[in-house]
Amino acid sequence: MENFPKGKFLATVKIGTKGQIVIPKEVRDMFSLNPGDSLVLMADEGQGIALQPFSYVESFWKAVNHVKDGNQK
């Protein structure tokens, strides 16, 4: 897509017969996603669907637990 701001991407993807989608190469490159990487799918009926690399969610979860553990002392 021409004239799209750097770091932004918009595309349409189709759901295959097995419920799979293909993440466009530009997005895989943008987020350094490789075959075998894990993603977390989050869904909310009102807000839609989001995908995050597992490493992002893992670091978020560790931070939440760190704060939780610190408040118990």
Side-chain angles (χ1 to χ4, degrees), residues 40-53:
V40 175
L41 182 140
M42 297 172 279
D44 179 279
E45 286 182 346
Q47 296 187 38
I49 299 170
L51 290 173
Q52 286 288 341

Side-chain angles (χ1 to χ4, degrees), residues 15-30:
I15 300 173
T17 57
K18 295 183 179 181
Q20 298 169 318
I21 62 167
V22 173
I23 299 171
K25 181 179 182 342
E26 294 87 348
V27 175
R28 294 191 317 264
D29 290 347
M30 186 184 303

Side-chain angles (χ1 to χ4, degrees), residues 4 7 14 22 36 38-39 43 53-55 57 61 70:
F4 224 74
K14 289 187 180 183
V22 173
S38 293
L39 298 175
F54 181 76
S55 58
V57 177
W61 186 251

Side-chain angles (χ1 to χ4, degrees), residues 5 7 20 23 29 32-34 51 54 59 62 65:
Q20 298 169 318
I23 299 171
D29 290 347
S32 301
L33 298 173
N34 297 296
L51 290 173
F54 181 76
S59 63
K62 286 179 182 178
N65 280 328

